[in-house]
Each structure stands twice: as structure tokens, then as C-alpha cells.
Amino acid sequence: MVVTAYVLVAGTLFYLAIRQKNQERKVVLTLFGVTALMGGALHSLNFWGDGNDGGLFLVLRLVFGVIALVATGLLIKAVPGLLAIPSPEQLQKANDELREQIAERERSQAALRQVQQDLEQRVQERSARAITATRELEREVENRKRAEKQLISKNYELVKKNADLDDFVYYASRDLRAPVLNITGLVEALKEELPPDNPEFNQLFARLDDSVSSIHRKLYNITEVSRIQRPVKEEELSMVSFTQVLELVRERLAEPLSIAEANLHTDFSAAPEVYFSRDNLLSLLTNLISNAIKFRDALRPLQITLSTRHQDHYLVLTVQDNGMGMDLSQYGQHLFSLFRRFHDHVEGSGVGLYIIKRIMDNNRGKVEVDSVLGEGTTFQLYFVNHEQ
Amino acid sequence: MKKLKGIMLVDDDDTNNFLNQRLLSRMQITDKIKEFRNGKHAWDYLHQLSEGSVDTASADYFKPSLILLDINMPVMNGFEFLGMFEQLDPGFRQDMVLALLSTSEHSQDTERAAAQNIAYLTKPLTAQKVQHLLDTYFPETGA
């Protein structure tokens, strides 16, 4: 029984050894099998022998024992190899793999560092570029500020020069009036001193009078044009009555009005006053009325209608006449230009309408003109309504 | 026609003074006309008169009924003269009429003159303007 068990154990171990792929385990299992087999063999010797043929059995026992001992010794030697899972190769391999992994990590770390460095470099470059750009921008801003300052100061200079020029023209023309007035007076005195009814003298005086009054008119226009370029001072503004200013104009233009046999119709009931410079309103009405007189139709008595009304945020002054009228499609665009004249049969300086336009523009108003050839002209002056 | 006691012409423009003197002389509205080249001279003259520090018997010194005053003058202009004139003794200045003369009309000037009840005339001075002035301020001189 014992022998059968030993042999079965040995057979099982051999079987396992054959099936085992691992070399060390195969060896170990085989050695176990050999040991078990030897054990079985010893037991079978005991079974068969009964101690009679002592010599052969003793030798056999010795051989089996030595084999078992050798196998056990081998086994003892082999077991550590079996116990040391994994084997040195495996260890080597694992070690290699680990090294490989470490190397891999180092590589990826190095790559990471590289990327990081690249990034840092890029950030630095970008910052440097941004700083450069900022500096450039700052310089540009500085430059522009300087340029702007220069422009402002140049502009200020120009405005001042312009004002000086206007002042110069204004005072020059105003100062020239006195000597011209003196010439008028001296011519009158001369006329009184010289014998009358001298046709030669009369002709000379007529031309002298013409020339002097022409100088007067021109000087007056220059003074007016330069005066209206000057900004209106706050203290010059007040509520001005249309009726009162028109009365002044009637006085000023008494002679030409009576020559033209002009009829003035007024209706300022809707807006009797306007917040304006009195001098400017006087200039506007004088120019409008004298314009109507100059361009009257000789075939019919001159009718001038003046009226006011409120329209939107404007106070509108309408001055309508039944004069010659004009073709606006032909002259319209130059109508308000300085020194432009469209009639050669009437005296005119080409300043009146320019003055009207400038005064209205300077006061944020506007002028509209409507005219029918042979029927008359209507001017509409839009004043900014200060009452609202 | 009753004549004025005297007229003062105050203007830095010599020719204008000459012409005005000629006009007034020909109109025969006074026998005494005196010219001054600026407001200061005219003021000094009036001041001396008011103080009685001149020989009033002399023909060179007379108290004017009318003062024609230019506005633009050196040293002391028309309006400055007006300011000084206001400081004279009211009794002394009550029977003197002032009229401003100017080459051009400015609302500010005319309004100032109107506020002080002073006549405002534009140059040139004409017989018509003088007559209108006399009619307004010296009705007793009328025919």
C-alpha cells in the first residue's frame, strides 16, 4: 500500500513536471518525484526482502538512499531558485523595464522641461514684444500729444491772427472814415466858395461827389464785413424790437425809400422782439430793405412786406418785395458770396447779402431765399429762438 | 434869432474842427467858438472857468452853451470827458448842452449817450443836424 502511494505520488509529480513549462519548477517537481520514487523503492525492498539476501538489498538500499539524498540535495539547491520568483532573468527584465520606464520618464520629463522652457521663452519673448509695443505706443501717444499741442497752439495763433486781421481791417476802415468825411466837407466848402453856375466846375464836382460817396460806401462795407466777423459779445445781446430797429432803417434810408416811393407793410405781432445784437439786426434790416430798393421793378410802386412768426425752434423774419426778382437756378449758389454782383445797372458792392448770410450763420441761424423773375423776392431769416 | 453864448469844439481832427467852425460861423448861431484838440484840454479849460481862476472879462474866456464832443480822441476821449464833466459843480454845468460826434454809429455808444441824455450826431456835421440840435435843446433860439 505504502509503495503504491509512493509510486502514485511520484507519478503525479512526474506528470506535473512534464506539464510544467517553467524549467526550475520542472526540475524541482522531477527531483520530488525521484525522491518519492526512491522512497517507494526502499519500501518495496522492505516488502520483498525480509532481510535474507542481505548483500544485494543492502547495496540497492544504499543506491536508492544515495539517489534520494542526491535528489534531495539537488532539491534543496533548486528550491531557492523556485522560491525566488521571479527568476533573475525576470528580475533583470523587470529591472530593464523599470530602467526603460525611468529613462522614458526622464525623457518625458526632459521633454516637459523643454516645453516649459520653450513656453517660458515664448512668454518672455512675448512680454518683451509687448513691452516694446507698449513703449512704441507710448512714444506714439507722446508724439501725437505733442502734435496735438502744436496744432492747438497753431490754431490758437491762427485764430488770434485772424482776429487781429479783422481788428486791423475794422479799425483801418473806421479810421479812414474821418479823413474821407473831411474831404466831403472840404468839397462842400469849396463849392460854396467858388462861383456857382460854372459848367466846368459843376461837372468836376459831380465826379468828385461820386468818387467820394463811392469811397464812403466801400469803407462802410469793409467796416461792416470786418465788424460781423468779430464774435458778438454777451453784453451786446438783448431783446430787440423789430419795429424800433425798422424805424432806424427808415431814417437811414429815408431818401432812397422816398425816391422808390416804397410802401412798407409790417406785422410783427407774432414775434415783436428777438434776442440779438441790435447792431446786427440793424445791419440785416438795412441790407434787406436797401436790397429791395435797388432791385425794385420800375414799372410798379415798391411794396415791401415784413412779418415774423414762430416755426419749430426758430423765429422767422420774412421780407418780401415785388421787385425784379431773379433766376435762382442761375445765380442761386453764388447769391451770398462776397463781392458777387448780378446786375450792372444798379449800384451795389456785392456785400449786402454776404453780410446777411454771415450774421445769420454766426448766430446759428439760416437764410432762405425764394424768387420769381419779374414778380419779386422773398427772404426768410431764421433766428434761433432764445425764448424757449 | 437869439445867438448862443459860445460853442466849444472838442476834436483831435483839425480839419473837422475847421469845417465845423466854418459851418457854425456861416450859420451865425454864435460869435464865440473855441477849439480843443482833446478832452483833457477842454476839461482843463472848463475846470478853470468853474474855479473862477481866469479873467472872465477877457474875450478869450467864455462859458459855452454847447459843447460838440468827438468820441475817439487821444489822452482823454469823449466818454472820459463826460465822466469828468459830471464832477463839475451842478450849478456851473446846468446850462451847458453836450453833443457827441462820431464817424459811425454803434449801439453801445448811442445807448450810453441816450442814458446820459446827451445828443449823438454822426459826422459830417450839417446845417440840418445843427438846426435839429438847436430846435431840441435851445428852443429860444428859434425864429
Side-chain angles (χ1 to χ4, degrees):
Chain A
M1 279 293 284
V2 176
V3 174
T4 315
Y6 270 111
V7 172
L8 267 173
V9 168
T12 311
L13 286 168
F14 284 133
Y15 175 75
L16 281 171
I18 291 159
R19 293 292 299 262
Q20 189 58 247
K21 276 174 185 161
N22 191 297
Q23 197 55 42
E24 283 102 15
R25 289 190 187 167
K26 210 176 245 181
V27 171
V28 170
L29 286 172
T30 310
L31 290 169
F32 269 120
V34 170
T35 314
L37 200 60
M38 290 306 112
L42 283 172
H43 279 289
S44 64
L45 283 177
N46 286 340
F47 178 65
W48 276 312
D50 297 331
N52 30 6
D53 41 358
L56 180 68
F57 277 99
L58 202 67
V59 172
L60 274 176
R61 269 189 197 183
L62 192 72
V63 169
F64 287 153
V66 169
I67 288 171
L69 261 173
V70 169
T72 310
L74 282 171
L75 200 75
I76 289 164
K77 216 181 163 188
V79 165
L82 188 71
L83 284 175
I85 347 159
S87 64
E89 289 104 56
Q90 274 178 316
L91 268 177
Q92 188 61 42
K93 204 177 160 199
N95 208 8
D96 286 350
E97 273 171 16
L98 266 173
R99 281 215 188 102
E100 187 58 36
Q101 275 176 13
I102 287 168
E104 183 68 30
R105 279 200 195 154
E106 274 174 359
R107 267 201 302 280
S108 54
Q109 253 177 4
L112 252 173
R113 262 201 301 279
Q114 187 61 43
V115 167
Q116 209 174 344
Q117 271 177 2
D118 283 355
L119 260 173
E120 264 174 31
Q121 199 176 343
R122 241 187 270 173
V123 166
Q124 273 176 0
E125 276 171 14
R126 291 241 172 121
S127 312
R129 243 181 291 163
I131 287 167
T132 317
T134 308
R135 278 198 195 133
E136 267 169 31
L137 256 175
E138 276 170 2
R139 256 203 303 281
E140 182 64 26
V141 168
E142 273 310 305
N143 284 345
R144 291 210 182 164
K145 267 189 197 163
R146 232 191 339 264
E148 204 181 333
K149 250 188 206 166
Q150 277 174 344
L151 253 178
I152 288 170
S153 89
K154 270 275 179 307
N155 194 37
Y156 176 78
E157 241 174 75
L158 271 175
V159 166
K160 204 179 163 299
K161 272 189 189 162
N162 230 352
D164 284 352
L165 210 60
D166 282 339
D167 274 356
F168 173 77
V169 173
Y170 176 73
Y171 288 113
S173 58
R174 197 198 63 180
D175 288 352
L176 277 173
R177 285 167 72 85
V180 173
L181 285 170
N182 284 343
I183 292 172
T184 316
L186 291 168
V187 170
E188 285 305 311
L190 212 52
K191 267 189 220 169
E192 285 163 5
E193 299 294 337
L194 287 168
D197 304 325
N198 182 323
E200 194 73 16
F201 283 157
N202 288 346
Q203 207 197 352
L204 287 172
F205 277 126
R207 291 190 179 275
L208 200 53
D209 286 345
D210 265 1
S211 299
V212 172
S213 66
S214 168
I215 296 175
H216 264 305
R217 224 175 23 246
K218 284 174 181 183
L219 271 182
Y220 176 77
N221 284 325
I222 293 170
T223 316
E224 273 295 278
V225 169
S226 61
R227 184 183 68 81
I228 59 166
Q229 313 286 3
R230 288 141 61 97
V232 176
K233 291 186 195 109
E234 192 61 38
E235 66 258 29
E236 290 171 32
L237 296 169
S238 62
M239 290 305 290
V240 191
S241 151
F242 285 106
T243 310
Q244 278 181 19
V245 173
L246 186 65
E247 206 44 54
L248 279 175
V249 177
R250 275 182 203 264
E251 283 173 29
R252 271 191 181 187
L253 300 175
E255 202 185 326
L257 276 171
S258 75
I259 290 171
E261 292 172 36
N263 285 308
L264 265 66
H265 313 276
T266 61
D267 180 8
F268 301 130
S269 55
E273 292 182 323
V274 64
Y275 189 71
F276 215 66
S277 146
R278 192 187 177 79
D279 285 336
N280 281 345
L281 187 64
L282 185 64
S283 187
L284 288 174
L285 286 177
T286 306
N287 280 303
L288 286 166
I289 304 277
S290 77
N291 210 59
I293 295 170
K294 276 181 212 161
F295 304 108
R296 66 184 182 273
D297 194 325
L299 297 174
R300 50 181 181 257
L302 175 59
Q303 308 287 341
I304 306 174
T305 309
L306 298 102
S307 63
T308 53
R309 67 173 198 279
H310 287 286
Q311 184 187 315
D312 302 326
H313 57 288
Y314 287 113
L315 189 163
V316 187
L317 168 70
T318 306
V319 180
Q320 186 176 19
D321 67 48
N322 64 340
M324 299 187 289
M326 57 191 152
D327 184 2
L328 286 177
S329 64
Q330 199 181 344
Y331 302 121
Q333 62 187 89
H334 299 298
L335 197 59
F336 295 104
S337 303
L338 192 54
F339 301 125
R340 285 299 296 256
R341 294 173 59 198
F342 306 109
H343 296 83
D344 53 5
H345 63 278
V346 276
E347 56 154 321
S349 55
V351 166
L353 293 187
Y354 170 81
I355 286 176
I356 292 169
K357 176 101 170 77
R358 277 312 297 254
I359 289 179
M360 295 316 288
D361 283 352
N362 288 352
N363 290 280
R364 293 180 289 125
K366 57 179 178 174
V367 192
E368 278 176 9
V369 62
D370 205 11
S371 193
V372 179
L373 200 60
E375 286 183 22
T377 306
T378 305
F379 284 96
Q380 301 206 77
L381 273 56
Y382 291 74
F383 298 88
V384 175
N385 200 345
H386 285 268
E387 282 170 71
Q388 288 168 356
Chain B
M1 190 175 95
K2 198 180 165 212
K3 285 189 176 180
L4 297 183
K5 282 185 277 177
I7 297 176
M8 274 173 75
L9 299 176
V10 191
D11 196 330
D12 60 316
D13 187 328
D14 205 30
T15 304
N16 195 247
N17 275 339
F18 164 77
L19 286 169
N20 289 346
Q21 173 151 30
R22 183 177 179 276
L23 175 76
L24 295 167
S25 302
R26 286 167 76 95
M27 286 180 78
Q28 297 187 326
I29 55 172
T30 185
D31 293 329
K32 291 170 180 172
I33 298 173
K34 217 168 164 57
E35 294 175 23
F36 298 90
R37 296 297 299 274
N38 67 48
K40 182 76 168 61
H41 292 165
W43 157 255
D44 288 345
Y45 174 81
L46 282 179
H47 186 67
Q48 282 179 343
L49 269 185
S50 70
E51 301 275 298
S53 58
V54 289
D55 180 9
T56 45
S58 158
D60 288 341
Y61 290 94
F62 61 89
K63 187 179 167 187
S65 309
L66 177 65
I67 302 171
L68 293 177
L69 190 63
D70 182 34
I71 293 176
N72 289 308
M73 284 182 291
V75 188
M76 189 191 282
N77 70 28
F79 282 110
E80 286 163 349
F81 176 85
L82 280 180
M84 298 293 285
F85 184 79
E86 295 288 312
Q87 292 171 21
L88 288 172
D89 178 57
F92 175 74
R93 60 181 159 90
Q94 67 171 359
D95 54 350
M96 285 189 280
V97 170
L98 284 156
L100 285 166
L101 278 177
S102 174
T103 51
S104 49
E105 227 171 286
H106 293 284
S107 283
Q108 278 177 298
D109 292 350
T110 52
E111 277 163 22
R112 234 169 127 181
Q116 299 189 49
N117 197 27
I118 288 163
Y120 188 98
L121 304 173
T122 51
K123 293 178 183 177
L125 197 63
T126 61
Q128 199 189 356
K129 286 177 190 170
V130 173
Q131 196 54 56
H132 182 74
L133 188 72
L134 293 177
D135 292 346
T136 311
Y137 292 92
F138 303 96
E140 73 276 7
T141 60

